Amino acid sequence: MAVGVPRTSRFKDYIDRILHAPQTEITLVVLILLSVTLVVLEVVFETRGLTNRWVNHLQAGLTSIFICELSLRYWVARNKRRFWRNYWLDALAIMPMITAFRLLRLLRILRLLRAGILLNRSLGRLSSAIATSLGMQIGVFMVIGLIVLTGGLATYLFEAPTNPRIDSLKDSMWWSFLSLVAGEPIGGEPQTDIGRLIALMVMMGGLTTFAVFTGVVSAVMMRKLETFMDFKALEIDELRHHIVICGWNRGGHLIVEELMADCDMKNRCAIVIVVEETEEPAQALRHLNRSQLYFYPEDYTKIDILETVGIRHASRAILLADATHPRTDQDRDARTVLAALTIEKLSPEIYTCAQLLDRRNDVQLKLAGVDDVIVTEEVASHLIATSTRNQGSVEALAELLTVQSGNQIYDIPVPTDWVGKQYWALAQHLKQQSDALLLAIESIQNGERITLVNPATSLVLSTDDRLVIIARQAPKI
């Protein structure tokens, strides 16, 4: 017994994987559509007095397959109540029907709902965005098709012999559709009691279904209208000197807010956010003025995507550690490195700032020519250690790191008339004329950028140097 239980469990898991495999679900969709087609043929042959033995044999074979499938699903189901809650319509559709009750055979059409669920699940494997946008539409159209098909076939079975307005299956299908849309029998009043009952069911189904259908169509039209009203004065491929943000994570909206809060940038720099299909950026930034914001839902590691967003004409590129999909830290850094290599190859002059999760990947980015590399955990750890060591100073650092209040850090070139003069003299001049503090000097040494914080007073400024200053606004010198 101890040996048999694990084997049974493994076999159940194996059967469960087969039942939920994409190939199995697509096969079931095809078989369900074939079964519905056979139901239509069976009704047509019967009303015309033709033999339908081969149709009955095929239908019996398909029913046997469906019985085996549901039996296996019941056997492997861990929660039997949940099974009946999910598959009671399918069980009703495959029950052997008494031939005397012709209407009951139409219950096989109920499996169209299962076909819609399986189809939507298959779309979800290809793209979650497609499944989200088309899932409701598929469900609504499946329900409409189910009502029209069932009503048309039932009407053809019971009304065709007595109702002169219904001569063919096409007439009954058209009658069923018009009755569904109009909410009343169109094209002929039913002549039999069963026909009247069918007409009532079709009309009641139409009232419910088209309320849902109207809601779906309205939602789609509102999204289209919102997209149209959000039209930008410039298309993405016409942008120049813009900022491209590749990837997205929880800190992305703070970066965009800071960039848009800078008076020197918000009116002249558009921001293009390139991220794989997700609504996270749009949701996080919905409170901002989006006239200068562009969202491009594609993979930013591909060359053609970067060229589409105008990376050759962009002034800056920001590479975030993308967290929109479940990946390991190493995979996220690998995507950042790949995108950085591609960007520097396409536009060597662009300024690039990359966010890493592991400092060991810094070497590849430096070799690629990335200007600045930020390891988020290191920066946060240094801030915590500095605050603990000094028992404060965090507020001063926080003020310098935001443009929304107080003083900020600015990076400006050395004025030509100050080249060859000492650092200290310029520092005094900046404080007196612009109330600015000269914090550091950035210089190029042996082809690499070196930052000298609080340099010696005797340091002589050169042409390629840049000044890192603290001020309330960018000084004009």
Side-chain angles (χ1 to χ4, degrees), residues 98-375:
I98 303 174
T99 56
F101 297 96
R102 297 182 295 172
L103 186 62
L104 295 181
R105 77 188 69 180
L106 301 183
L107 291 176
R108 296 167 184 163
I109 303 176
L110 290 175
R111 283 189 66 88
L112 274 177
L113 298 177
R114 175 61 52 185
I117 294 173
L118 296 176
L119 184 59
N120 190 43
R121 187 183 301 170
S122 299
L123 290 175
R125 292 190 178 97
L126 296 176
S127 171
S128 58
I130 294 177
T132 302
S133 61
L134 294 181
M136 183 63 72
Q137 289 90 322
I138 291 175
V140 170
F141 283 113
M142 280 293 179
V143 172
I144 291 176
L146 176 65
I147 296 174
V148 171
L149 193 58
T150 304
L153 290 174
T155 302
Y156 187 62
L157 272 173
F158 295 98
E159 288 290 318
T162 59
N163 195 331
R165 302 289 298 273
I166 298 178
D167 296 330
S168 63
L169 182 61
K170 182 178 69 174
D171 294 336
S172 64
M173 289 294 182
W174 187 241
W175 174 90
S176 179
F177 178 74
L178 291 179
S179 300
L180 181 73
V181 174
E184 59 178 315
I186 301 295
E189 293 288 337
Q191 303 296 318
T192 63
D193 292 337
I194 296 181
R196 296 186 182 96
L197 178 61
I198 294 169
L200 179 63
M201 294 176 64
V202 170
M203 289 184 292
M204 292 297 293
L207 293 175
T208 304
T209 304
F210 272 91
V212 178
F213 179 74
T214 303
V216 172
V217 172
S218 299
V220 173
M221 293 300 295
M222 286 301 296
R223 284 197 296 268
K224 295 293 184 182
L225 181 60
E226 181 181 356
T227 302
F228 176 77
M229 295 300 292
D230 196 34
F231 173 74
K232 306 293 194 308
L234 295 174
E235 296 296 336
I236 289 180
D237 57 357
E238 296 178 344
L239 293 176
R240 296 294 183 270
H241 309 295
H242 54 290
I243 301 173
V244 177
I245 298 179
C246 299
W248 195 256
N249 52 39
R250 289 184 298 178
H253 70 283
L254 297 176
I255 296 174
V256 176
E257 289 175 5
E258 283 293 316
L259 294 174
M260 297 190 69
D262 190 343
C263 296
D264 294 332
M265 298 181 63
K266 66 180 181 180
N267 294 323
R268 61 184 179 88
C269 285
I271 299 175
V272 180
I273 301 173
V274 189
V275 61
E276 290 182 289
E277 293 183 357
T278 177
E279 295 184 356
E280 290 183 23
Q283 291 293 327
L285 302 174
R286 61 183 181 274
H287 61 286
L288 297 178
N289 179 8
R290 293 173 57 177
S291 61
Q292 290 292 312
L293 284 177
Y294 296 78
F295 301 100
Y296 200 74
E298 291 290 348
D299 186 358
Y300 57 85
T301 62
K302 298 179 180 179
I303 295 179
D304 58 332
I305 300 303
L306 291 173
E307 289 183 334
T308 300
V309 298
I311 198 65
R312 296 181 187 272
H313 306 289
S315 61
R316 301 171 179 87
I318 300 174
L319 298 167
L320 299 181
D322 189 38
T324 55
H325 293 276
R327 295 187 178 96
T328 63
D329 290 352
Q330 189 62 32
D331 289 341
R332 292 175 184 174
D333 279 358
R335 288 174 58 81
T336 300
V337 171
L338 177 59
L341 291 170
T342 308
I343 290 173
E344 292 295 335
K345 183 68 174 178
L346 294 174
S347 181
E349 301 300 324
I350 193 174
Y351 167 82
T352 309
C353 180
Q355 179 187 26
L356 284 180
L357 301 174
D358 190 344
R359 172 62 71 180
R360 290 173 294 182
N361 297 315
D362 183 22
V363 178
Q364 294 93 325
L365 293 180
K366 290 298 183 183
L367 291 176
V370 173
D371 297 275
D372 288 308
V373 177
I374 297 175
V375 182

Side-chain angles (χ1 to χ4, degrees), residues 23-41:
Q23 299 88 341
T24 303
E25 293 184 348
I26 292 298
T27 302
L28 284 174
V29 171
V30 174
L31 293 179
I32 289 171
L33 296 179
L34 178 59
S35 176
V36 172
T37 303
L38 291 177
V39 170
V40 175
L41 293 176

